[in-house]
Amino acid sequence: LRILRSHQQASSSTNSQLHTHRPRILRTHGHVIVKWLAVSDLCAAAGIALRSALWLWDSAAVTGGLEEQDASPGRIFCVAMASWIHYFYTCTYLWTCIYCVDCVRGVHDLRTNKSWYHASAWLIPAALTSAGLFGLYAPDFKCHSSSSNPYIRFLPNYLSTALPLLVVLFACPLLYLVAANTLHTLLASI
């Protein structure tokens, strides 16, 4: 895509000298999207590394051990780490999908404001993570409580994790196929 973009910039500079103007294709925010995808992935990996290191150091302190308190520091930390990891992995999935959408919009010469991408990639995961983890931890900060039906308790969390992943797994190849077909037509016209 960068080669095609540089070819277009070179041809647009020669075309401007000839007083003709062709529409520029491949107006993408790919470099910005990849940067934020890397940031969200790094944050998720840092959460896993921190939780794993603390788990190896003292698993009872991280999980709250066998304390009977509903909101012990260990349980609060466990919920915070689960929320952190869940949120940033969901952000990673959505940034990946946004990259595909941006590729399709770029080959169709459609412009999108980056603020829409940021709103989608940061707010949708926040809503999904909140909904999934609220059902899991809401009453007592215990995800392994036997006081309620485990299927009902775990289902929102599983759905909030699996649905973004399934969207990425199924939508991205289709979006890339659309972009590749359009790009093939554009390359043939050049």
Side-chain angles (χ1 to χ4, degrees):
L1 293 177
R2 286 180 187 244
I3 292 170
L4 184 58
R5 182 179 287 162
S6 64
H7 172 72
Q8 286 178 328
Q9 289 171 348
S11 67
S12 68
S13 66
T14 58
N15 285 342
S16 65
Q17 295 171 353
L18 299 174
H19 302 293
T20 60
H21 181 69
R22 289 184 357 181
R24 194 174 153 227
I25 57 174
L26 294 179
R27 296 178 186 184
T28 65
H29 300 291
H31 62 286
V32 173
I33 294 170
V34 169
K35 178 181 76 172
W36 287 109
L37 171 65
V39 166
S40 62
D41 202 26
L42 182 67
C43 288
I48 287 179
L50 177 64
R51 185 175 69 176
S52 298
L54 290 175
W55 188 280
L56 289 172
W57 180 56
D58 186 9
S59 65
V62 173
T63 61
L66 300 174
E67 298 174 26
E68 294 300 322
Q69 301 172 8
D70 287 343
S72 69
R75 286 195 183 126
I76 292 172
F77 179 78
C78 183
V79 171
M81 290 282 51
S83 302
W84 177 274
I85 293 166
H86 187 172
Y87 173 73
F88 281 109
Y89 270 125
T90 306
C91 289
T92 300
Y93 304 151
L94 286 177
W95 275 118
T96 303
C97 198
I98 286 171
Y99 185 81
C100 297
V101 169
D102 192 58
C103 285
V104 171
R105 293 185 62 79
V107 297
H108 286 290
D109 200 28
L110 301 172
R111 297 192 52 111
T112 303
N113 190 348
K114 289 185 281 188
S115 61
W116 284 102
Y117 291 155
H118 282 283
S120 300
W122 301 118
L123 296 178
I124 292 172
L128 287 171
T129 301
S130 299
L133 294 176
F134 181 78
L136 190 61
Y137 293 112
D140 55 6
F141 280 107
K142 297 177 187 174
C143 71
H144 300 292
S145 175
S146 60
S147 63
S148 64
N149 186 348
Y151 295 112
I152 293 172
R153 191 168 181 133
F154 286 103
L155 186 63
N157 188 40
Y158 288 149
L159 289 177
S160 70
T161 303
L163 287 179
L165 184 58
L166 289 173
V167 166
V168 170
L169 288 175
F170 290 113
C172 287
L174 295 175
L175 290 170
Y176 278 135
L177 184 64
V178 168
N181 288 338
T182 306
L183 192 60
H184 178 64
T185 304
L186 290 172
L187 286 174
S189 69
I190 289 175

